[in-house]
Amino acid sequence: MQQDEPTDAAKLHRVIADSFTQSEHETPIAYRDGENSADLIALGISLLELYLKEPPPDHIIGIEQEILAPLHNSRGEYLETPLLAIADLITEGNEELTVQEFKTSGRAYSEMEAETSLQPTCYVNAVQEMFGSPATVEYTVLVKTKTPKIQRLKAVHHENDLARLGDIVENIERAIEANVFYPVENPLNCSTCPFRQPCREWGRKEHTELVQLNIKTAGAMTC
């Protein structure tokens, strides 16, 4: 798409099927009752075909763009640890940058989810630091309902949101340094989190501690 080349739907179908089969061989997949690999591959292909009917994005700036950007707090101070944001798609139109975040979901997203999520704020901060101009974030949600559909939601964040993000991260870092760990469970993240089991076991023993994830090992936090 970035080179304005025609999209080969048949090739993309093969990529989905091959990628799913490879993942299935590498990691066991827990299917729900009545689910199987063929049905999920067919669902993935139907979602892809639905997306391909949408107008293609124009003026693509970056795909899977990695941006290592600093964070600042409400006092205007930059934090020591930068944040690594990986944007699915960045486009430019009407003198404005837009970050498109692709999601798959079994239900439609609510406007509240888009407004309160910290992820769009991370992207807006990263783009502003890298390109020097504000950006908006648009969720493109591939909804896996009986009749698949595509939902688009815009999340607009302002300077106050960026400063609040810095304050939140700053306080989380202080908690980590003080060895304050407790479960923060979320249906979206828990299913794929490598620390799910120790998190679930937290509190069952007299002196249980969560496994500490050293976010400074790689020199940056990741969004």
Side-chain angles (χ1 to χ4, degrees), residues 83-208:
L83 178 74
L84 176 62
I86 305 176
D88 289 343
L89 177 66
I90 303 176
T91 59
E92 184 177 21
N94 298 322
E95 299 183 352
E96 182 181 65
L97 293 175
T98 299
V99 178
Q100 292 196 28
E101 172 67 12
F102 293 91
K103 299 286 189 184
T104 59
S105 175
R107 59 171 179 79
Y109 273 37
S110 68
E111 291 187 3
M112 179 65 71
E113 286 175 295
E115 291 176 2
T116 59
S117 173
L118 289 177
Q119 189 177 28
T121 312
C122 295
Y123 290 141
V124 170
N125 175 80
V127 169
Q128 184 165 305
E129 290 289 341
M130 181 175 185
F131 296 99
S133 61
T136 59
V137 176
E138 181 180 82
Y139 281 105
T140 300
V141 187
L142 307 179
V143 186
K144 302 177 292 183
T145 46
K146 186 174 182 180
T147 301
K149 64 179 181 179
I150 293 179
Q151 178 192 24
R152 295 187 183 274
L153 281 173
K154 282 202 172 184
V156 180
H157 293 260
H158 305 285
E159 177 58 34
N160 288 341
D161 298 307
L162 306 188
R164 181 174 180 271
L165 172 65
D167 288 343
I168 291 173
V169 172
E170 188 175 41
N171 280 278
I172 291 173
E173 286 187 319
R174 288 174 182 168
I176 292 173
E177 291 171 359
N179 288 319
V180 177
F181 299 101
Y182 54 90
V184 180
E185 295 172 308
N186 182 301
L188 180 64
N189 299 325
C190 289
S191 60
T192 57
C193 178
F195 300 96
R196 181 180 183 182
Q197 190 58 37
C199 183
R200 293 297 301 165
E201 293 174 354
W202 182 88
R204 297 179 184 175
K205 301 175 184 178
E206 185 176 354
H207 300 291
T208 301

Side-chain angles (χ1 to χ4, degrees), residues 24-98:
E24 192 174 29
H25 289 158
E26 293 175 352
T27 306
I29 297 177
Y31 294 103
R32 296 176 181 174
D33 291 340
E35 280 186 344
N36 56 57
S37 60
D39 290 340
L40 293 183
I41 291 173
L43 177 60
I45 290 175
S46 65
L47 287 169
L48 174 64
E49 290 176 339
L50 190 62
Y51 177 74
L52 291 177
K53 293 178 182 178
E54 298 270 307
D58 292 325
H59 303 99
I60 295 176
I61 303 299
I63 297 174
E64 289 292 313
Q65 178 77 49
E66 294 188 4
I67 305 175
L68 187 63
L71 297 172
H72 65 275
N73 58 27
S74 56
R75 299 183 300 278
E77 303 166 341
Y78 278 101
L79 277 59
E80 179 180 350
T81 306
L83 178 74
L84 176 62
I86 305 176
D88 289 343
L89 177 66
I90 303 176
T91 59
E92 184 177 21
N94 298 322
E95 299 183 352
E96 182 181 65
L97 293 175
T98 299

